[in-house]
Amino acid sequence: MSREIKVVPLSAAAFAPFGDVLDASGTPDKMINAGLCGRHHDRAALDFGPDGRAGISIFNAEPRSLPYELTLLERHPEGSQAFLPMTENPFLVIVAPDENGTPGRPRAFMTAPHQGVNFHRGVWHGVLTPLSAPGLFTVVDRIGKTANLEEVSLAPSYVVVP
Ligand SMILES: NC(=O)N[C@@H](O)C(=O)O
Ligand code: NI
């Protein structure tokens, strides 16, 4: 099977097996602040395990470009991880199904402006992959004493294409 992965637009339905899409689409769940703010309430399944806690970090990642050689997938067995862009730049989101402890064929999604994602606990994903500078993101994930990281090198690699 081809090692080329074609990027498709991110959709909540397609991403549902892997995590949550975070955006202000649709009608807000609540209007707050004297009706001046729409609250899209409680939109992510956060999970930090019994021994972890939630943390907010700021990532400043080097932008990549397409075609993008995918050589590594990782997962966090003890917690979820959310990528929330601090710019309006779309970014690349790569995930893969788990097949008996190793990643299956990856899938590549392109976010719309102002969209973030939350990977559910244990979901195989590519590392944070901005496509333009600045690659500034707020990341909400597990803080704990363990590494909470499994990495798999992909050989042969895949190429993510537009
Ligand atoms: N390692 C780390 O903090 N980031 C990765 O988990 C990632 O998905 O980018
Ligand atoms: Ni990660």
Side-chain angles (χ1 to χ4, degrees):
M1 183 182 272
S2 163
R3 305 299 284 188
E4 273 199 358
I5 306 288
K6 184 155 176 51
V7 185
V8 298
L10 180 64
S11 73
F15 196 69
F18 306 103
D20 314 291
V21 174
L22 300 165
D23 60 23
S25 61
T27 306
D29 299 289
K30 303 178 182 180
M31 290 309 292
I32 59 174
N33 302 349
L36 297 178
C37 175
R39 180 173 173 139
H40 300 261
H41 181 67
D42 193 18
R43 293 301 179 92
L46 300 181
D47 179 349
F48 306 110
D51 305 320
R53 62 175 175 83
I56 295 180
S57 304
I58 303 297
F59 283 27
N60 188 2
E62 287 298 316
R64 284 41 161 217
S65 53
L66 295 179
Y68 172 66
E69 186 182 16
L70 179 67
T71 60
L72 175 81
L73 289 172
E74 63 165 45
R75 65 178 175 178
H76 309 296
E78 298 175 87
S80 57
Q81 185 173 55
F83 291 164
L84 307 171
M86 299 174 84
T87 73
E88 62 182 10
N89 303 321
F91 64 101
L92 193 56
V93 177
I94 296 169
V95 288
D98 181 53
E99 293 177 354
N100 303 316
T102 61
R105 184 173 174 79
R107 298 177 63 181
F109 297 98
M110 185 70 75
T111 65
H114 308 120
Q115 256 182 346
V117 292
N118 175 59
F119 301 111
H120 290 164
R121 177 166 56 85
V123 168
W124 292 109
H125 59 279
V127 299
L128 179 63
T129 311
L131 295 173
S132 36
L136 287 174
F137 290 75
T138 300
V139 176
V140 180
D141 61 5
R142 179 184 181 272
I143 307 296
K145 293 185 171 31
T146 56
N148 184 30
L149 178 63
E150 282 180 46
E151 294 177 313
V152 170
S153 294
L154 302 173
S157 58
Y158 289 88
V159 180
V160 179
V161 296

